[in-house]
Amino acid sequence: MKQKKIIIAITGASGVIYGLKLVETLNQYKNISTFVIISNAGKKVLDLEIPNWKQKFSKYNLYSENQLEAPMASGSWQHNGMVIIPCSMATLGHIAMGIGNNLIHRAADVCLKEEKKLILVPRETPLNLIHLKNMMQLKQAGATILPPCPNFYTKPKTISDLINQLIAKVLDHLQIKHNLSPRWGDKKLFKNF
């Protein structure tokens, strides 16, 4: 089985648990290597939301936003996609405008120019017109915009169930098989329907 390389970026929006869960999930696959970029603002949000995050991330390939010499800054480095989870509106705006002044922006720009999978999980509400225009521009450029919108037909019982729903959707778009969350049409879900 060919080794897959997935880039995961965590930015300064609330919901950094999504990024951590995606990293932990992908690292359970023997044929997937993850490359994690954490923005400076992302580190601050991690400090607030997951105080022991440094310990949890210590076993992964970590990059800071300033490491522009990292492999994912070049289009010649081969990989299987990038997920920015959560994606702040500042990061989304920089990418939409083609401003590559840190490693996350540059790696996302490389994904678009090389026609690689780029998934953005924006974490903001409500959205203003600038946010919506930036999302539309990125969608037109080839990105997948995947907001963390839970479904309730799966009857989630815990916050972990809701987090797993989003990670399952991300894995679907990366074409990675999983059994993290029930799917529509699952007979177990509809036995009393």
Side-chain angles (χ1 to χ4, degrees):
M1 202 180 294
K2 190 177 175 187
Q3 192 73 12
K4 286 188 171 189
K5 297 177 188 172
I6 305 292
I7 304 164
I8 301 167
I10 296 173
T11 68
S14 184
V16 290
I17 188 67
Y18 292 128
L20 175 59
K21 180 63 177 179
L22 180 59
V23 171
E24 289 174 341
T25 301
L26 288 176
N27 276 279
Q28 293 174 13
Y29 292 79
K30 288 184 170 54
N31 67 324
I32 297 175
S33 296
T34 56
F35 299 81
V36 183
I37 311 167
I38 304 175
S39 73
N40 294 337
K43 290 173 184 174
K44 290 180 181 179
V45 178
L46 279 160
D47 285 338
L48 289 170
E49 295 184 359
I50 308 173
N52 63 341
W53 71 271
K54 289 177 184 165
Q55 178 186 349
K56 289 181 178 286
F57 279 98
S58 64
K59 58 187 167 204
Y60 304 122
N61 296 315
L62 285 182
Y63 296 87
S64 74
E65 69 175 44
N66 302 320
Q67 287 180 268
L68 290 170
E69 74 284 0
M72 63 283 299
S74 172
S76 66
W77 188 69
Q78 294 296 297
H79 64 87
N80 302 92
M82 177 176 185
V83 183
I84 306 177
I85 180 171
C87 183
S88 68
M89 289 300 118
T91 297
L92 194 141
H94 276 85
I95 298 165
M97 296 299 119
I99 302 169
N101 61 357
N102 73 28
L103 181 57
I104 294 172
H105 307 153
R106 174 61 186 160
D109 185 62
V110 167
C111 284
L112 293 174
K113 81 181 186 72
E114 298 294 328
E115 299 183 5
K116 302 277 187 187
K117 177 62 84 173
L118 175 62
I119 301 169
L120 294 94
V121 180
R123 246 295 300 126
E124 188 63 77
T125 192
L127 299 168
N128 67 38
L129 185 58
I130 295 167
H131 300 153
L132 293 168
K133 284 182 176 180
N134 285 341
M135 286 183 206
M136 186 177 75
Q137 187 154 323
L138 284 167
K139 181 65 180 169
Q140 290 171 336
T144 298
I145 309 297
L146 203 158
C149 298
N151 66 58
F152 292 94
Y153 62 80
T154 58
K155 300 175 182 64
K157 294 179 176 55
T158 65
I159 291 174
S160 289
D161 291 342
L162 296 173
I163 293 168
N164 283 341
Q165 284 180 13
L166 177 68
I167 302 309
K169 186 61 82 171
V170 169
L171 294 179
D172 286 348
H173 280 267
L174 290 171
Q175 298 181 338
I176 296 170
K177 291 182 180 180
H178 63 86
N179 59 358
L180 275 180
S181 185
R183 296 181 181 278
W184 181 260
D186 186 333
K187 290 179 182 169
K188 292 179 206 169
L189 290 177
F190 297 99
K191 66 181 176 183
N192 296 322
F193 189 67

